[in-house]
Amino acid sequence: AGVPFDPAHRIRDMGTLMAMVRSGIGVSIVPALAGAMLVPRLVMVPLTQEITRRLVLTGPPGHPWHPAATAIVAAAAARPDHAPPGG
């Protein structure tokens, strides 16, 4: 919108961030996953331009992964929009 982005605070804890927005301290850009944390007074508005990010899962080399980590990798690989490792 032509407005420079100059954040006054950088908050990593989602609970703190939501509490600050709920208190009227400001607004925030958060991933859609944060919608599960919304309280009745907060509303998510989608951005007109979709922003994507790449998540990476890694583990200790030479050791078997926990079954939960293996299941996450298998579920991600089964998605049609899956990007192969390194690509």
Side-chain angles (χ1 to χ4, degrees):
V3 178
F5 180 66
D6 186 22
H9 302 284
R10 293 189 185 269
I11 307 299
R12 293 183 183 264
D13 179 73
M14 192 62 71
T16 301
L17 177 69
M18 294 289 186
M20 291 175 73
V21 172
R22 186 178 60 245
S23 296
I25 294 173
V27 298
S28 183
I29 298 174
V30 297
L33 184 60
M37 297 182 70
L38 290 182
V39 295
R41 290 183 42 217
L42 297 180
V43 177
M44 290 186 87
V45 178
L47 298 173
T48 55
Q49 178 183 356
E50 183 175 318
I51 298 173
T52 60
R53 62 183 174 167
R54 182 179 191 148
L55 300 178
V56 178
L57 181 64
T58 186
H63 296 288
W65 285 16
H66 187 279
T70 304
I72 290 171
V73 170
R79 290 183 52 110
D81 60 346
H82 165 66

